[in-house]
Amino acid sequence: MYDYFLDGKDNYPVDWKAAEQVISFFPAVKEMARTNRDFMHRAARMLAREGIRQFLDIGTGIPTAPNLHQIVQAVTPDARVVYADNDPIVLRHAEALLHSTPEGRTAYIQADVQEPGKILAAASETLDFSQPVALSMMALLHLVGDEDDPHRIVSEFLKSLAPGSHLALSHATGDFDPEAWERVVEVYRKGGTTAQVRSRAEFARFFTGLELLDPGIELAARWHPQRGGHYNQSEQIPLYVGVARKP
């Protein structure tokens, strides 16, 4: 569905049907997907420029390009990137797409975000967890219900990261149109996918104990917008984002 919203070519009739239902309830969902993707690019590029050389990207967005390793290795060719996703179709695409620079490395883990131990153990074959790592979870945690305690999951990952590591998140919210988002969530749940939007305060809890980078928690289009970018229409896209440092 995410690839469909981004006008990609790697989606199927079952995705089209569910995606069109979501569009009927929230017509700006395609703009939301693009806004999320743009934020990922800006955040990853900024962290690479700040000297982060290791990235763990959970819930990858593959196959829609450019992917995180392409962004950060353009800045830092020796960057190491590990992707984790629970979709077997994503695995097939990853095998074809993950071409690292000669200086860097990329790897892919087939695992669910609810398996922090499995992901961290596999990622340690590529990443050095004694050094800073950027943990990226873009448009992922709204697919984890409260019953699975997403705040605990994030904390489990952060415990294993060295000081100087960063957490980058984006998350859908129902703060601006709760009725529409109740219907959107229902589409996902009827399709067998857990979904749950959260308030700004609930989103902020993911950064407990971390140092938020400027401008703090913001709507995605307002977080370091690119000069000359066309963000006016997307400023109210209901997607909270933030990047924070582990002290």
Side-chain angles (χ1 to χ4, degrees), residues 68-134:
L68 188 146
H69 74 283
Q70 294 163 314
I71 297 295
V72 300
Q73 288 181 347
V75 177
T76 308
D78 64 345
R80 297 186 174 200
V81 179
V82 174
Y83 294 101
D85 207 296
N86 66 351
D87 188 336
I89 295 175
V90 171
L91 172 61
R92 299 279 80 83
H93 285 291
E95 290 171 344
L97 292 172
L98 295 190
H99 300 295
S100 174
T101 57
E103 303 93 333
R105 289 183 64 186
T106 60
Y108 180 87
I109 302 165
Q110 175 93 21
D112 192 279
V113 68
Q114 297 182 48
E115 304 173 291
K118 177 180 178 180
I119 291 174
L120 291 165
S124 67
E125 297 179 10
T126 302
L127 306 179
D128 177 2
F129 283 105
S130 70
Q131 300 299 315
V133 173

Side-chain angles (χ1 to χ4, degrees), residues 23-241:
I23 290 169
S24 71
F25 298 136
F26 181 62
V29 68
K30 285 192 170 186
E31 178 70 13
M32 185 172 181
R34 287 190 291 269
T35 300
N36 178 72
R37 200 71 178 167
D38 287 347
F39 165 70
M40 183 275 283
H41 293 164
R42 298 196 305 279
R45 190 176 293 112
M46 182 192 75
L47 290 173
R49 287 172 176 166
E50 290 294 318
I52 300 298
R53 297 291 188 270
Q54 304 188 107
F55 294 79
L56 176 56
D57 184 16
I58 305 176
T60 64
I62 292 171
T64 308
N67 290 292
L68 188 146
H69 74 283
Q70 294 163 314
I71 297 295
V72 300
Q73 288 181 347
V75 177
T76 308
D78 64 345
R80 297 186 174 200
V81 179
V82 174
Y83 294 101
D85 207 296
N86 66 351
D87 188 336
I89 295 175
V90 171
L91 172 61
R92 299 279 80 83
H93 285 291
E95 290 171 344
L97 292 172
L98 295 190
H99 300 295
S100 174
T101 57
E103 303 93 333
R105 289 183 64 186
T106 60
Y108 180 87
I109 302 165
Q110 175 93 21
D112 192 279
V113 68
Q114 297 182 48
E115 304 173 291
K118 177 180 178 180
I119 291 174
L120 291 165
S124 67
E125 297 179 10
T126 302
L127 306 179
D128 177 2
F129 283 105
S130 70
Q131 300 299 315
V133 173
L135 173 61
S136 174
M137 296 180 174
M138 298 296 167
L140 172 66
L141 294 170
H142 51 237
L143 302 177
V144 181
D146 280 349
E147 63 272 19
D148 294 312
D149 198 352
H151 293 94
R152 176 193 57 79
I153 291 170
V154 172
S155 293
E156 287 295 316
F157 280 105
L158 290 172
K159 284 177 186 176
S160 296
L161 302 187
S165 293
H166 289 73
L167 174 65
L169 300 179
S170 65
H171 197 299
T173 183
D175 281 357
F176 308 107
D177 192 348
E179 292 183 4
W181 279 95
E182 282 181 14
R183 295 192 289 269
V184 169
V185 164
E186 187 63 20
V187 171
Y188 278 88
R189 288 186 175 261
K190 283 184 176 179
T193 299
T194 301
Q196 182 172 342
V197 292
R198 294 185 171 89
S199 68
R200 190 183 189 282
E202 290 170 321
F203 178 65
R205 280 186 56 205
F206 289 114
F207 298 101
T208 300
L210 305 180
E211 299 170 346
L212 277 160
L213 305 189
D214 180 71
I217 293 170
E218 256 296 3
L219 293 176
R222 297 176 182 172
W223 193 92
H224 294 288
Q226 290 176 324
R227 192 171 295 176
H230 301 287
Y231 289 96
N232 289 338
Q233 292 182 345
S234 58
E235 284 185 355
Q236 287 300 322
I237 290 294
L239 188 74
Y240 286 128
V241 302

